[in-house]
Amino acid sequence: MQFLNDPKLKITEGGNFLLSNHLTNYSSSISSEKEADKILKKATKNIYKEQRKLYAADNHSLLCVFQAMDAAGKDSTVRHVFTGVNPAGFEVTSFKAPSKEELDHDFLWRCNKAAPGRGMIGIFNRSHYEEVLVCKVHPGYVIGQNIPGIDSIDDLTPTFWDDRYESIRNWENHLAKNGTVILKFFLNVGKDEQKARFLSRIDEEKKNWKFNSGDLKERALWPAYMQAYQDAIQHNASPQAPWYVIPADNKPIMRAMVANIVAETLKNMNLQFPDVGQKEKDEMAVANRVLENE
């Protein structure tokens, strides 16, 4: 079972993309949560196997970008999908509000610093797309970036946002040409489901720590966020950096889809353990004799 090329999930040409065409409860061919669990377990085993080759070969990297509205399940998805991977070849970067140092650089600087090196799997929990998502919904954030010529919200013209999309496309293309395989996941949770999850954070004591009253302010801006996501996917979906719109109302199904896509992507990279030359074989033979004679 593969979701890698499911046209209801994968977006490589964004021109005609409409978010309203993507159901938040789409289950594809997964008939039950039990089946989803089986798919997840098989995929995580394959991710582990392929990661060993990726780390050893040291000639490619994998970058997985996760974007979503609050309570969609980004953290738990990363935890379930990448369970068991070798931590030496795995790194998660969570992008919060930019620091003073980060604001003193261009908006891609901090993401470029965090891009995975060869042999690594890198996770962006939120990402460079915050610059065309939250910043588009809250344009005042851009004013605080001290960009020349951007002195007021009136300066944030359509051309400004088009330039940001272009910068992101160029950066992603650059990474792809240098061996980084990019997967971008939008965990598409429905508004009703988000409401239910917020209420559970209030009603269930063990989840109280997750509740943030600020989330309700962002929820009130739901239409603006949906438009921002649609715009971002329309402008920045490409064959070398596709977007996957993953239905997120059912977490087991969501995790199964993401895990399968990651596993199949790694498999299609045709990763191989490095060949060992005759010199190394001779050295191992000598080492073997030494160890056997201890």
Side-chain angles (χ1 to χ4, degrees):
M1 182 178 297
Q2 288 194 28
F3 305 101
L4 187 65
N5 295 310
D6 187 333
K8 293 185 178 181
L9 303 177
K10 185 178 184 180
I11 313 297
T12 57
E13 299 292 338
N16 296 320
F17 172 76
L18 293 175
L19 189 54
S20 59
N21 290 338
H22 292 260
L23 300 175
T24 60
N25 61 354
Y26 172 64
S27 60
S28 184
S29 53
I30 302 177
S31 60
S32 65
E33 291 188 3
K34 184 177 180 179
E35 183 183 4
D37 187 54
K38 291 180 179 178
I39 295 169
L40 176 65
K41 288 180 178 178
K42 180 180 179 180
T44 55
K45 289 179 180 179
N46 289 332
I47 291 170
Y48 167 74
K49 293 177 182 178
E50 295 299 325
Q51 188 215 10
R52 295 178 64 212
K53 299 176 189 177
L54 177 71
Y55 187 75
D58 198 33
N59 54 15
H60 286 83
S61 59
L62 176 66
L63 173 60
C64 297
V65 172
F66 287 89
Q67 291 285 162
M69 295 293 285
D70 295 312
K74 295 190 306 300
D75 293 346
S76 64
T77 298
V78 171
R79 185 170 65 252
H80 282 79
V81 171
F82 296 97
T83 183
V85 299
N86 180 359
F90 180 74
E91 186 173 11
V92 178
T93 305
S94 296
F95 291 97
K96 307 296 185 182
S99 66
K100 175 64 167 62
E101 180 186 22
E102 290 166 345
L103 287 172
D104 282 340
H105 294 81
D106 68 271
F107 77 91
L108 287 170
W109 179 77
R110 65 176 183 166
C111 293
N112 196 55
K113 281 182 62 181
R118 291 186 176 90
M120 299 288 292
I121 295 177
I123 306 298
F124 282 3
N125 186 337
R126 303 194 188 277
S127 69
H128 44 299
Y129 280 96
E130 292 296 282
E131 297 291 337
V132 291
L133 293 170
V134 67
C135 284
K136 204 169 186 182
V137 176
H138 297 282
Y141 292 166
V142 180
I143 308 306
Q145 295 178 357
N146 294 324
I147 301 171
I150 305 299
D151 302 313
S152 71
I153 292 176
D154 291 338
D155 296 320
L156 300 178
T157 63
T159 299
F160 172 85
W161 297 111
D162 287 343
D163 287 344
R164 282 213 159 174
Y165 294 132
E166 182 180 14
S167 293
I168 292 172
R169 285 196 302 273
N170 290 340
W171 182 66
E172 291 177 347
N173 289 340
H174 172 74
L175 290 180
K177 289 177 180 178
N178 284 275
T180 299
V181 175
I182 303 171
L183 298 174
K184 299 178 296 193
F185 297 101
F186 170 47
L187 306 184
N188 185 26
V189 69
K191 192 175 184 182
D192 288 343
E193 178 62 23
Q194 188 199 56
K195 176 182 177 180
R197 293 180 188 178
F198 281 168
L199 287 172
S200 73
R201 292 178 178 183
I202 297 171
D203 297 337
E204 299 179 35
E205 186 175 351
K206 65 181 181 180
K207 294 183 180 181
N208 287 170
W209 66 274
K210 292 184 177 182
F211 180 75
N212 184 339
S213 60
D215 292 343
L216 297 184
K217 296 178 181 179
E218 297 303 288
R219 176 177 166 81
L221 299 170
W222 188 276
Y225 272 107
M226 294 301 101
Q227 185 63 55
Y229 272 107
Q230 179 169 288
D231 291 345
I233 295 171
Q234 284 180 346
H235 285 86
N236 288 87
S238 66
Q240 63 272 22
W243 273 103
Y244 285 89
V245 180
I246 306 294
D249 283 1
N250 184 299
K251 287 186 178 182
I253 290 176
M254 171 182 68
R255 295 163 185 160
M257 288 180 173
V258 172
N260 178 266
I261 290 166
V262 173
E264 291 299 317
T265 296
L266 286 166
K267 179 181 177 182
N268 290 345
M269 290 166 68
N270 295 315
L271 300 163
Q272 304 292 330
F273 288 109
D275 290 330
V276 178
Q278 189 58 49
K279 179 182 177 181
E280 289 79 11
K281 290 180 180 179
D282 291 342
E283 290 174 348
M284 285 190 289
V286 172
N288 184 71
R289 288 195 297 269
V290 171
L291 291 169
E292 291 290 346
N293 292 325
E294 279 186 352

